[in-house]
Amino acid sequence: MSPGVRPASLPTPPPRLDPETQPYWDAAARGELVLPLCPRCDRLFWYPRGACPRCGATDLSWRPASGEGVVYSFSVVRRAGGAWAQAVPYVLAYVTLAEGLTVAANIVGCAPEEITVDLPVHAVFEAAAAGDPAILRFTPAAAG
Ligand SMILES: [Zn+2]
């Protein structure tokens, strides 16, 4: 596990991997967030995929992101099934990145009661085990 990737604090179901999004996963494995950029639209988009959702271009580039954002909205999950049953309560949030995109992800590293709308957060990556895909999550910016 690279220094930029933390042990998972929540279940990390394996994501769907494909060659088109390999640059995203390679950066995630280093603990770095990159965003797909369409060269024709000159706009970033989310989620990572192999073609621009606006124009269909496939000659994407991957732009390093700050990883900084604020909580736009969130939900505290108190009942869940499967592997998630043991993880409750946990938080699923929409985080608006400094780059303007809104990302759905878990917030970790704090109690659900500490999370508020507009709370500054930053990206962290978690993996279930060394070599597993690193999953994007967020933690309060004050938590380091
Ligand atoms: Zn485009």
Side-chain angles (χ1 to χ4, degrees), residues 1-2 4-6 21-34 124-127 132-136:
M1 206 171 289
S2 91
V5 178
R6 304 173 177 202
T21 55
Q22 195 61 48
Y24 172 84
W25 297 106
D26 288 347
R30 300 188 301 269
E32 298 167 9
L33 177 62
V34 295
V124 294
F125 286 88
E126 294 189 345
D132 282 5
I135 302 300
L136 173 64

Side-chain angles (χ1 to χ4, degrees), residues 37-43 45 51-58 60:
L37 172 68
C38 174
R40 283 194 230 163
C41 300
D42 194 30
R43 287 174 72 175
F45 61 88
C52 172
R54 296 183 192 88
C55 75
T58 57
L60 308 174

Side-chain angles (χ1 to χ4, degrees), residues 29-110:
R30 300 188 301 269
E32 298 167 9
L33 177 62
V34 295
L35 301 172
L37 172 68
C38 174
R40 283 194 230 163
C41 300
D42 194 30
R43 287 174 72 175
L44 300 165
F45 61 88
W46 186 261
Y47 55 90
R49 69 201 100 166
C52 172
R54 296 183 192 88
C55 75
T58 57
D59 52 337
L60 308 174
S61 60
W62 298 82
R63 178 163 292 182
S66 67
E68 305 301 318
V70 295
V71 173
Y72 173 77
S73 179
F74 69 99
S75 179
V76 180
V77 180
R78 298 186 187 279
R79 294 183 66 183
W84 292 91
Q86 303 302 314
V88 294
Y90 63 88
V91 174
L92 179 61
Y94 285 104
V95 171
T96 301
L97 298 175
E99 290 78 11
L101 302 175
T102 299
V103 173
N106 296 115
I107 296 184
V108 296
C110 68

